[in-house]
Amino acid sequence: MAKFYVQCGARSLVVDAMDADAAAMHSVDLAMQPHLWIYDDEGLTDSDRHSHVMLEALMHMATEVRVSEQGFHREDATRFGTPDMVHQWHQTMVGLARLMMAAGLASRPMRQLATAAVGKSVGNASPETESKRLPR
């Protein structure tokens, strides 16, 4: 694992990842988590879902994700096109949804599986569904 500095427009974060691709994908995953509900809507086709997430990404994200092991705002940063990364993310979500269905876990919404970087549930989860942790 290595430390990567990831920028996507005004959003900047530091990520521990295996490589630059994984760091860029982590950034896209964080940005797209609010749209996981779309994979729970059985009335939509995979093409509909792809169109939705691509439109949302292009409206709210920069056109590229920049990843560097040296720091932010580096000219030598690896650049990943947002459309390509969102397409890969979508394929991963479709595969995960199919895997869950094959495993008999289709009744559990995709958005419940996602967790934000700070460990809180994503979506409209109530406090009762979040894990109970003892105070430190």
Side-chain angles (χ1 to χ4, degrees):
M1 295 280 257
K3 185 177 290 192
F4 291 92
Y5 299 86
V6 182
Q7 285 180 270
C8 186
R11 176 183 235 170
S12 300
L13 62 137
V14 178
V15 177
D16 285 324
M18 296 299 288
D19 56 25
D21 284 323
M25 184 58 69
H26 180 72
S27 174
V28 170
D29 184 51
L30 288 175
M32 298 308 296
Q33 282 184 8
H35 303 284
L36 282 174
W37 65 268
I38 201 161
Y39 295 94
D40 297 325
D41 188 336
E42 295 177 9
L44 297 174
T45 65
D46 286 341
S47 178
D48 292 337
R49 292 179 181 112
H50 183 270
S51 297
H52 173 84
V53 296
M54 190 62 70
L55 181 62
E56 288 294 331
L58 294 175
M59 285 180 16
H60 300 289
M61 295 174 66
T63 57
E64 67 181 9
V65 178
R66 297 173 50 134
V67 181
S68 173
E69 288 187 77
Q70 304 296 316
F72 296 115
H73 308 292
R74 302 275 305 186
E75 288 301 318
D76 60 345
T78 305
R79 297 165 190 245
F80 298 91
T82 296
D84 292 335
M85 296 305 297
V86 171
H87 179 71
Q88 288 178 25
W89 181 84
H90 166 72
Q91 289 178 322
T92 301
M93 294 301 107
V94 168
L96 182 58
R98 288 179 183 160
L99 180 63
M100 289 179 57
M101 185 173 289
L105 301 172
S107 62
R108 189 169 185 185
M110 291 282 286
R111 66 183 174 269
Q112 279 186 349
L113 296 177
T115 56
V118 293
K120 294 185 179 178
S121 295
V122 173
N124 297 328
S126 66
E128 297 82 34
T129 61
E130 292 185 14
S131 66
K132 306 282 189 229
R133 295 180 67 180
L134 295 175
R136 294 181 187 219

